[in-house]
Amino acid sequence: LCSMPPDELATHFRLHGPITKKNISAHVRLIRAAISFLGDTGLRRAEATNAKRTDLKLSTLRLGQWELTTVGKRNKERTVPVSKRVVELLQAHWEDRGLDFRYGMETRPLLAPIALPLTESSKRRHFDEEGEPVDPGFAVSGLGRLVSRAMTEIADDKLNPYLDDDERNRLRVAAAHALRHTNGTLLASLSMPLDVVQRRLGHESLQTTTIYVQAEEQRVLDESSRIEQLLGEMTVKLDAQPSAPLIAGVALDRVLELV
């Protein structure tokens, strides 16, 4: 999506104007949790909306490591690690919902709306026949809209100095699924073995996972080309100067020859 990891990107989300209601602050915390959760785990939208508190546990193999068990396409189960920072964001979201995150047997969804639209479909989903509220979490499309709108808000925030114009334009058209691609590309850039990336993302075919490696290789080529161009421009400028500048007593053109 952009040069910032999803969880860092999410910290720059804010609502314009003064925050005067408690539920608005809770909505901001929900958005930060949702963006960070999707970007950290690489889950599909349906997997994220189906994730329950009972699916999130501390690992029995590594002290302090959280992991989430999910069922993906073709009913295949897999386990993905979840960072401590994302767990903390989820915990804050649960506190806003008045729930105890520490109770690991809770079957409620990890993510749920803070504010509900006053539509008939919303009433049918979030209230039972007696009019009592229930907590089914997000519909898949609802989570997608939440994240897409939030990324548009981030892109349109002119006071945000962390994004360039190209990144802003990409965020404006990005869907929630783009966070999954960001996760895959990040794992590839960290040289994680391809079969491990495949298992984390739940790909049926290793060929699908290779897309992220190719994307990272393309990025390396693009950056290398840019550096070569800058070095070429620098060499032209040096040739035009009677004496080259020094770096630690060594002529810069000599340093470039040694690189």
Side-chain angles (χ1 to χ4, degrees), residues 28 35 57 98 164:
V28 172
I35 292 178
K57 298 180 175 68
D164 59 33

Side-chain angles (χ1 to χ4, degrees), residues 92-130:
H93 170 54
W94 271 54
E95 290 176 359
D96 289 329
R97 293 158 63 190
L99 302 173
D100 187 356
F101 188 83
R102 295 171 299 176
Y103 181 56
M105 298 305 294
E106 177 63 71
T107 58
R108 294 174 186 265
L110 286 176
L111 297 171
I114 294 297
L116 301 175
L118 298 177
T119 62
E120 288 302 319
S121 60
S122 176
K123 291 178 182 178
R124 288 193 298 270
R125 178 174 177 80
H126 296 281
F127 295 89
D128 61 20
E129 294 179 355
E130 284 74 34

Side-chain angles (χ1 to χ4, degrees), residues 43-118:
L43 292 178
R44 302 176 178 93
R45 288 183 305 164
E47 295 167 348
T49 56
N50 289 330
K52 306 291 192 298
R53 176 62 184 89
T54 49
D55 301 327
L56 182 63
K57 298 180 175 68
L58 282 168
S59 173
T60 58
L61 300 177
R62 175 164 294 187
L63 184 64
Q65 175 64 61
W66 288 87
E67 56 186 19
L68 179 83
T69 301
T70 184
V71 178
K73 290 184 176 179
R74 303 172 190 85
N75 290 321
K76 286 194 173 182
E77 185 178 283
R78 71 183 191 279
T79 300
V80 295
V82 182
S83 70
K84 182 179 178 181
R85 168 173 168 72
V86 170
V87 171
E88 290 172 349
L89 291 171
L90 291 171
Q91 184 172 1
H93 170 54
W94 271 54
E95 290 176 359
D96 289 329
R97 293 158 63 190
L99 302 173
D100 187 356
F101 188 83
R102 295 171 299 176
Y103 181 56
M105 298 305 294
E106 177 63 71
T107 58
R108 294 174 186 265
L110 286 176
L111 297 171
I114 294 297
L116 301 175
L118 298 177

Side-chain angles (χ1 to χ4, degrees), residues 212-252:
Y212 298 112
V213 178
Q214 293 172 343
E216 177 59 18
E217 289 176 347
Q218 183 62 52
R219 190 177 73 87
V220 170
L221 291 174
D222 291 343
E223 289 300 315
S224 299
S225 177
R226 184 177 66 85
I227 294 300
E228 289 176 4
Q229 182 178 356
L230 290 174
L231 289 175
E233 293 173 355
M234 190 180 300
T235 302
V236 171
K237 292 179 180 179
L238 290 175
D239 290 342
Q241 295 176 355
S243 59
L246 303 179
I247 297 181
V250 181
L252 180 57

Side-chain angles (χ1 to χ4, degrees), residues 133-155:
V134 295
D135 192 6
F138 280 99
V140 175
S141 58
L143 180 61
R145 285 193 298 270
L146 176 86
V147 173
S148 294
R149 289 171 181 170
M151 290 195 286
T152 299
E153 288 275 353
I154 295 171

